[in-house]
Amino acid sequence: MKIHNLGATGPRVSALGLGLMGMSDMYGPADEAESIATIHAALDAGITLLDTGDFYGMGRNELLLREALRGRDRDSVVISVKFGAQRDPGGNWIGYDARPSAVKTALSYSLNRLGTDYIDVYRPARLDPSVPVEDTIGAIAEMVDAGYVRHIGLSEVGAATLRRAAAVHPIADLQIEYSLLYRGIEKEILPTARELGIGITAYGVLTRGLLSGHWTADRELSARDFRGHSPRFQGDNLRQNLVLVEALRKVAEQRNVTVAQVAIAWVASRGEDIVPLVGARRRDRLAEALGASELTLSPEDLVAIEAAVPAGAAVGDRYPTAQLGSLDSER
C-alpha cells in the first residue's frame, strides 16, 4: 500500500481509506462481526485511514471502531471523525450544530466512545449556516493546542469557505464526493484546495454502490436505505446511469479487472493529493477495492474511461433537493 501525505500539513496515510458509515447506518442492516473482520482485513492490508462520524448510527459506528481497534496499535491508525449533524431518537436529521461549545462537547463524547486520547482529523460534517466557519475552526484549533486533536479537516464546503477556514488554522483535507459520476469539485474547489495545500479525501467513489458493477435496476432496498431517496437511483435516472456502468464494464473487461476497480483507480489517478475512501462493509468487497491500488491506468485507459463515462453524463442529483440546497459545496 502506497503512503501519501494528506495535504501539506496533514498526517501520512494509506493511498486508500476505509469509510465506515455503511457498517452502522444509511445502507440498511449490516453484520457487526463481518464489519469488524473487514476493518481488521483493511488494517492487515495496509490501510491506515479510517473514517467515521459521531452521528453514524448515533454513536454506534464509533463504538464499533473502538472494538475493532482493541489490541491494535492506536498510533498506527489515522482516525477521521465528522461531527455536528443533529438527529432525533428516530434517526431523523434535524440540522447542524458547529458552535464552539458544541465542538468541544461532541469531541469529548467521541474520545470516550472511541476509547482514545486524541483524534487524528476532526471535521464538521457540514457548514453550519448559523455559525461563522472561523468560530468553528477556532474552537477545533483550541483542541489541537490542548492535544485532543492532531489535524483539522472540512467536509462538503466550497472554495470561499476553504479560504476562510485556512486563514484561521491549517486545514489538512477536505472530505467531499468525487467520482466518475460526480466531478463538481474540478471547476473551483479542487484548484483552491491545491492552492492552499489541502488534500482531498474522496467519498462516494463508487456512487454509493451504483458504480460497483454489482447494482441492478430491480434491487430492493430497505426502508432506511438512503439510496431509496437518492435521485440517481430512481426510475429512468437509474436505468440511464446503469447504461454508463455497462459502458465502463467493457473498459474494465479489456484490462481483466472489475468495474469497481476501474472507478476507484480513476479517482486515485487524479493526483496523489486525493485519497479515495471505499465504503466496503464486507471482506470480499474490500478485497475487490484493494485491487484498485495495484491498478495503474494508462493514457489510453483514461481516454477509454472518459469515452464510456463523459463528464456530466450522470442523471439525477447526488442528494435529494432539500439536502443538496444545504451544501456549501453546491453554492
Side-chain angles (χ1 to χ4, degrees), residues 59-186:
R60 290 195 305 274
N61 201 246
E62 290 178 318
L63 293 171
L64 176 76
L65 180 54
R66 176 178 183 162
E67 182 62 28
L69 293 179
R70 194 179 301 277
R72 298 274 178 160
D73 178 11
R74 166 65 183 91
D75 292 336
S76 68
V77 179
V78 175
I79 299 177
S80 165
V81 178
K82 291 182 289 298
F83 74 92
Q86 305 294 289
R87 303 179 75 174
D88 68 16
N92 301 301
W93 304 96
I94 55 176
Y96 295 94
D97 190 351
R99 294 170 299 157
S101 59
V103 169
K104 296 171 184 179
T105 299
L107 174 61
S108 65
Y109 287 135
S110 284
L111 290 169
N112 185 59
R113 283 190 291 263
L114 289 165
T116 184
D117 296 327
Y118 67 94
I119 289 173
D120 297 276
V121 187
Y122 199 54
R123 72 184 80 242
R126 298 289 186 268
L127 181 68
D128 183 340
S130 65
V131 180
V133 71
E134 291 87 351
D135 292 356
T136 301
I137 299 302
I140 305 175
E142 291 178 16
M143 297 296 93
V144 172
D145 292 341
Y148 296 118
V149 173
R150 296 283 173 86
H151 305 278
I152 301 177
L154 286 165
S155 179
E156 286 289 353
V157 301
T161 301
L162 276 181
R163 292 188 186 280
R164 289 171 57 191
V168 176
H169 188 278
I171 304 299
D173 72 316
L174 170 65
Q175 189 173 118
I176 194 165
E177 185 170 353
Y178 188 36
S179 73
L180 276 167
L181 295 186
Y182 177 71
R183 308 188 202 179
I185 73 170
E186 293 177 342

Side-chain angles (χ1 to χ4, degrees), residues 220-233:
E220 294 186 5
L221 299 174
S222 65
R224 298 196 67 86
D225 194 315
F226 164 84
R227 293 166 294 195
H229 309 285
S230 171
R232 288 183 180 166
F233 288 83

